[in-house]
Amino acid sequence: MLGIRDVTIVTMQNGTMTKGDVLLADGRIKAYGEAVDLAGCERIIEGRGRVLTPGLIDAHTHLGLSESGVGREGTDTNESTHPLTPYLSVRDGINMQDQAFESFRRAGITTVGILPGSGNILGGTGLALKCRGDIVDDVVLKDPIGMKAALGENPKGLYGERKQSPATRMGNAALLRSALLRAKDYLNKGEDHPRDPQSEALIPVLKREIPLIIHVHRHDDITTAIRIANEFGVKCHLAHVTDGYMVTDVLKRGGVYCGVGPTMHYPSKVENKERDFRTAVVLDRENIPFCLFTDHPVVDGRNLVLTASIATQWGLSDESALAAITVWAARYLGVENRVGSIAVDMDADLVLWSGNPLELTTFVDMTIIDGEIVYQRGMQPC
Amino acid sequence: MLVVKGAKIYPVLGTTLERGMMIINDQGRIHAIGENLPVENGDRVLDVTGKVIIPGLIDAHSHVGMWGDGEGRPGYDGNESVRPITGEVRALDAVNPRQMSFAAAREGGITTVQIVPGSGNPIGGLGFACKTQGTVIDEMVVKHPTGLKGALGENPKRAHGHGQKQAPATRMATASMIREYFREARTYGEQKDKAREEGRPFRTDLNLESGLLVLRKEIPFRVHAHRHDDIVTAIRICEEFDIHYSIEHCTDGHLIADYLGKKGITAMVGPGLSAASKVETKDLSDENPAILARHGVDVCLMTDHPFLNCRYFLHYAAIAHKYGLPFEETLKSITINPARALGIEDRVGSLEVGKDADFLVLGGEPFSYKGAILQTYIEGQRVWEREVY
């Protein structure tokens, strides 16, 4: 058992309390509040009034797939040999020795969503992972979280350049539609037909067990994504949503959950020339559910909390900014029953901060995942 | 005259003014700065009580206007990497002042920027310094040229050796080509002098003219180097030719800070906040600026826009401060240090009488998240203001 004494607890669900204590056991939060009985703890961390938040969640990254400091040999993000590869799983491409894992822990990030790249119309399934350990299978939080899909410039650029389909946005949409249609027929035919790996992989999407997570920047791509999802009655999350502020009615009618990012990156393409914090601020005001993400390594994941800080400079409240990288990110990944807030029986994923987490000069003093201290400032990693 | 009053002013050179005032003349220069200055009838007044003023930021190394932000390929003019030695090219000829990246620079509080060619070539061309507001680049120039760009490490090897199967394919060849370039430029200079003495006509070689400017110490050689051994190679070559230089990026500087301190180098450090996108940047550290400064290196921060979006230059400085760069040093690293390194400190880099009235109005202390940039001024004109979304 691990105890944390005298901290300001930012629960993200149930307000903030000063002078609180937290008791952790078996990788879970056993109790928190005023004067929790910490007798029997093997170790007690003295908070001395510092701030304790849930571990941060970066809901959309390529951590371990696009490895840091390795170059080409460490890149396994896009299987850009065919535009339809829904049968791939990022689980088979993640290098847990990617040096970025340590920098994520140092930045207070305890859970990540990892997704395939956006070169393919259907790229494969993504998962949610704890940022610890050496064996990917030991630290999977949820797999799959959704099926990655992509619209806009990336697929049409990649394949169009080779004079293959898709070469236009029309081609993008047609490929997505026909893949879903084929899978629907496949599902309706039952067992009595040859196995089709593409359609097989899309069955959980059609059964609404997992969402499509659709890469969209431009407003019309957002609209197309929702149009196609509605045609097939599938669940849909959006990723990037750069132009989201222009089409809030569409987003509301679609009932979609938006992952917004990488907001700090420059406008690298025509389709993301509107990249800005405006969308996050407007979605918050319009009560459209969203989270902020880095798209690591497009923006390095260690800047996740900085992203939230900058969002406040554009008008997002401190509370919303923190929620966008904790509890709302957990909802985006469908893991909010385990992580993203401080409550009894939630996973013991916590960050102890030297001050206000949003202040630019505040340090992560300690990161805890599943009740274990995985990073402590001033201590070399073992 | 424009009177700015009520704010706490960090002039960078000189003492901090708790309730500072600035009087700006119609030429956009600072006429007076202090506390309780006399205001005359007819002066316009900008009351920024409770806010904080710092000088406009100087981004020591950037590619604004030449990388095609939001435009795709047609707007990209960063690297003339069809051959490895291009001393004749000038960033000045490729910069589009109406490119959206200039608006991003103003939003990021950058009022002066050094724009340099990319790092695909061992000898990349001439860079220059300009203000970030305007539509005609020649009217925005503060100084041209400010340096000759060179590059070591992975980029020239990738652009030429891997991409086109021509030299340089190794670090050895990159170094030897730079050496050969300066040898040629030296010979060229001698022949040019001789021709002048003898009154003979002489054919100008624009490629070697740039090298000659460096050899005659009129401009520095600005060498792109990330890995520690590339930095050491850069210094070795520059000492061989006895030229002025700065190290651009200096990513591994923290690994050899003692050596760099002894050499007393100037380093343009950045892009900050970035990912370790290459093998040669795998040891990047947020502590790099602090460690370098502690060892006596002259540190100028830079965005390398678009590699750090220049909107977030001040945030990069805040992180450098968080990781140990003292407050005053951090402010200097984005104002007066780059002004001096570029040789434009007579006009920009601090808020002093006679200098350009380039300044930022912040909502609070610099390097705090409450200290967002609210307004950017260049030569007394408001060029950017935070919008409420």
Side-chain angles (χ1 to χ4, degrees):
Chain A
M1 291 199 296
L2 183 66
I4 306 172
R5 184 151 56 201
D6 183 18
V7 281
T8 295
I9 304 173
V10 182
T11 68
M12 300 315 303
Q13 270 199 359
N14 202 13
T16 294
M17 63 166 66
T18 52
K19 293 209 164 295
D21 306 324
V22 184
L23 177 65
L24 312 177
D26 306 320
R28 301 284 177 91
I29 298 166
K30 284 292 161 204
Y32 75 95
E34 279 174 39
V36 173
D37 182 9
L38 300 180
C41 285
E42 291 107 54
R43 179 167 173 193
I44 292 176
I45 297 155
E46 297 296 343
R48 294 187 300 276
R50 285 176 289 176
V51 177
L52 190 76
T53 68
L56 307 186
I57 301 173
D58 196 345
H60 181 118
T61 75
H62 306 292
L63 181 62
L65 287 180
S66 296
E67 292 171 49
S68 290
V70 178
R72 231 184 279 174
E73 294 77 3
T75 301
D76 291 286
T77 320
N78 275 301
E79 180 61 29
S80 46
T81 53
H82 191 282
L84 299 171
T85 57
Y87 40 77
L88 301 180
S89 164
V90 289
R91 196 159 175 163
D92 301 318
I94 296 169
N95 180 359
M96 296 299 292
Q97 300 288 345
D98 180 356
Q99 66 180 35
F101 273 102
E102 178 59 21
S103 82
F104 272 58
R105 290 189 282 272
R106 207 179 306 142
I109 302 166
T110 53
T111 294
V112 286
I114 304 179
L115 293 137
S118 51
N120 291 350
I121 296 296
L122 287 166
T125 53
L127 53 68
L129 190 79
K130 296 291 184 82
C131 292
R132 67 174 180 90
D134 302 316
I135 309 296
V136 69
D137 302 288
D138 290 348
V139 289
V140 166
L141 179 57
K142 186 179 180 187
D143 184 16
I145 52 168
M147 172 64 65
K148 178 74 184 285
L151 296 173
E153 285 182 35
N154 288 8
K156 75 161 194 158
L158 187 61
Y159 292 96
E161 204 162 80
R162 302 176 195 166
K163 305 290 171 206
Q164 294 170 14
S165 190
T168 62
R169 283 180 158 82
M170 298 181 286
N172 286 346
L175 270 174
L176 180 55
R177 228 180 233 118
S178 50
L180 286 166
L181 193 59
R182 198 155 60 126
K184 201 169 150 189
D185 289 346
Y186 181 84
L187 185 61
N188 289 339
K189 271 190 240 162
E191 301 287 306
D192 190 25
H193 53 77
R195 193 183 138 76
D196 168 13
Q198 270 181 22
S199 296
E200 197 75 41
L202 288 170
I203 289 174
V205 174
L206 291 169
K207 288 184 168 174
R208 296 178 61 84
E209 291 163 5
I210 60 170
L212 282 177
I213 300 175
I214 311 181
H215 163 109
V216 282
H217 286 286
R218 220 170 69 177
H219 51 93
D220 52 329
D221 292 328
I222 295 171
T223 307
T224 300
I226 292 172
R227 184 187 314 123
I228 293 175
N230 285 345
E231 283 169 24
F232 290 88
V234 299
K235 284 200 231 173
C236 166
H237 286 5
L238 299 182
H240 307 302
V241 209
T242 306
D243 283 356
Y245 75 91
M246 301 179 193
V247 286
T248 50
D249 286 346
V250 175
L251 294 171
K252 277 185 198 168
R253 278 202 303 274
V256 292
Y257 210 119
C258 298
V260 177
T263 26
M264 287 175 66
H265 194 51
Y266 86 108
S268 54
K269 298 180 278 189
V270 175
E271 67 179 4
N272 60 29
K273 70 181 166 56
E274 296 289 326
R275 177 170 283 154
D276 197 352
F277 282 89
R278 184 191 295 260
T279 286
V281 173
V282 170
L283 296 190
D284 189 46
R285 188 192 306 135
E286 299 283 330
N287 292 312
I288 296 167
F290 78 100
C291 66
L292 288 169
F293 64 66
T294 66
D295 202 8
H296 173 89
V298 180
V299 165
D300 191 279
R302 71 188 193 283
N303 301 308
L304 181 64
V305 72
L306 180 58
T307 301
S309 300
I310 297 172
T312 68
Q313 298 187 329
W314 288 103
L316 206 62
S317 70
D318 287 16
E319 294 72 24
S320 291
L322 269 184
I325 55 173
T326 54
V327 62
W328 296 349
R331 287 182 196 150
Y332 186 77
L333 298 173
V335 293
E336 71 276 17
N337 58 332
R338 297 247 332 244
V339 296
S341 54
I342 295 178
V344 171
D345 282 336
M346 297 281 278
D347 288 12
D349 294 357
L350 300 163
V351 183
L352 184 63
W353 303 83
S354 66
N356 175 354
L358 292 169
E359 188 50 85
L360 306 179
T361 47
T362 295
F363 281 96
V364 170
D365 279 349
M366 184 181 288
T367 305
I368 296 170
I369 300 180
D370 296 326
E372 282 178 35
I373 299 168
V374 295
Y375 167 73
Q376 206 171 347
R377 185 155 71 102
M379 309 275 279
Q380 290 302 316
C382 43
Chain B
M1 297 279 193
L2 171 68
V3 177
V4 183
K5 68 171 198 179
K8 179 176 183 179
I9 300 180
Y10 290 100
V12 172
L13 296 181
T15 50
T16 303
L17 307 167
E18 286 302 327
R19 281 189 63 81
M21 287 180 75
M22 264 194 306
I23 298 177
I24 297 163
N25 69 20
D26 296 340
Q27 288 72 49
R29 301 242 160 76
I30 298 170
H31 175 74
I33 180 167
E35 287 172 337
N36 301 313
L37 300 173
V39 180
E40 288 176 26
N41 283 342
D43 286 348
R44 287 181 300 132
V45 174
L46 174 68
D47 189 339
V48 280
T49 300
K51 309 291 191 244
V52 174
I53 285 178
I54 62 174
L57 310 184
I58 302 178
D59 187 351
H61 173 131
S62 170
H63 306 291
V64 289
M66 62 170 0
W67 224 264
D69 298 40
E71 294 173 344
R73 270 182 226 174
Y76 171 79
D77 290 290
N79 266 302
E80 184 64 18
S81 49
V82 293
R83 58 181 182 281
I85 304 293
T86 55
E88 71 281 13
V89 310
R90 301 172 184 185
L92 183 66
D93 299 320
V95 169
N96 172 7
R98 298 189 69 229
Q99 227 283 328
M100 63 189 296
S101 50
F102 273 97
R106 295 190 290 269
E107 175 188 322
I110 297 162
T111 52
T112 301
V113 64
Q114 178 180 229
I115 306 177
V116 291
S119 52
N121 293 350
I123 298 292
L126 297 174
F128 72 107
C130 68
K131 295 290 178 83
T132 54
Q133 170 76 357
T135 36
V136 176
I137 193 68
D138 298 81
E139 293 176 352
M140 298 155 67
V141 167
V142 178
K143 187 178 178 184
H144 172 83
T146 47
L148 174 64
K149 179 79 183 289
L152 297 172
E154 288 180 30
N155 288 9
K157 291 201 310 170
R158 189 176 44 245
H160 301 282
H162 303 165
Q164 302 169 40
K165 301 289 173 209
Q166 62 176 29
T170 63
R171 282 177 159 84
M172 297 180 287
T174 305
S176 93
M177 292 171 96
I178 292 172
R179 278 197 185 90
E180 198 51 41
Y181 173 76
F182 282 120
R183 271 193 213 106
E184 267 184 59
R186 188 154 59 197
T187 306
Y188 169 83
E190 287 161 5
Q191 287 168 348
K192 188 180 176 185
D193 287 346
K194 202 172 165 204
R196 190 187 297 126
E197 280 165 27
E198 295 172 1
R200 279 191 291 112
F202 187 76
R203 197 162 128 194
T204 300
D205 180 327
L206 289 177
N207 174 42
L208 296 177
E209 282 288 335
S210 298
L212 195 55
L213 285 174
V214 174
L215 289 169
R216 295 190 169 160
K217 299 186 178 176
E218 289 174 41
I219 57 172
F221 191 37
R222 304 206 182 273
V223 198
H224 164 111
H226 286 288
R227 215 169 73 177
H228 53 93
D229 53 324
D230 291 329
I231 299 170
V232 173
T233 299
I235 294 172
R236 185 187 314 123
I237 293 173
C238 292
E239 289 186 347
E240 283 168 21
F241 288 93
D242 185 29
I243 54 182
H244 291 155
Y245 63 94
S246 59
I247 301 297
E248 309 292 306
H249 305 300
C250 205
T251 305
D252 274 358
H254 60 101
L255 302 175
I256 51 169
D258 261 341
Y259 182 75
L260 300 181
K262 270 188 289 189
K263 296 288 182 187
I265 68 157
T266 293
M268 314 303 206
V269 185
L273 312 179
S274 58
S277 56
K278 298 184 280 189
V279 175
E280 66 182 3
T281 57
K282 73 180 172 59
D283 289 317
L284 67 79
S285 166
D286 290 326
E287 292 175 70
N288 195 30
I291 292 171
L292 290 173
R294 202 179 305 140
H295 285 81
V297 170
D298 173 34
V299 172
C300 308
L301 300 186
M302 58 109 134
T303 68
D304 197 17
H305 182 88
F307 298 99
L308 169 62
N309 186 340
C310 61
R311 286 172 158 189
Y312 307 116
F313 191 33
L314 191 59
H315 299 89
Y316 167 34
I319 296 301
H321 174 49
K322 167 182 169 179
Y323 283 97
L325 193 62
F327 182 90
E328 296 290 337
E329 286 305 310
T330 309
L331 260 186
K332 285 180 177 173
S333 71
I334 50 179
T335 55
I336 193 65
N337 289 0
R340 286 175 177 148
L342 300 174
I344 52 177
E345 73 275 24
D346 58 324
R347 279 191 60 187
V348 295
S350 61
L351 299 175
E352 295 177 277
V353 171
K355 282 198 177 185
D356 292 4
D358 298 353
F359 62 95
L360 313 180
V361 179
L362 310 180
E365 288 293 317
F367 319 137
S368 163
Y369 82 124
K370 298 292 187 192
I373 300 168
L374 304 178
Q375 295 171 343
T376 303
Y377 286 80
I378 293 180
E379 294 168 25
Q381 303 291 319
R382 187 184 302 166
V383 296
W384 182 80
E385 184 166 28
R386 184 167 294 265
E387 196 182 333
V388 178
Y389 289 149

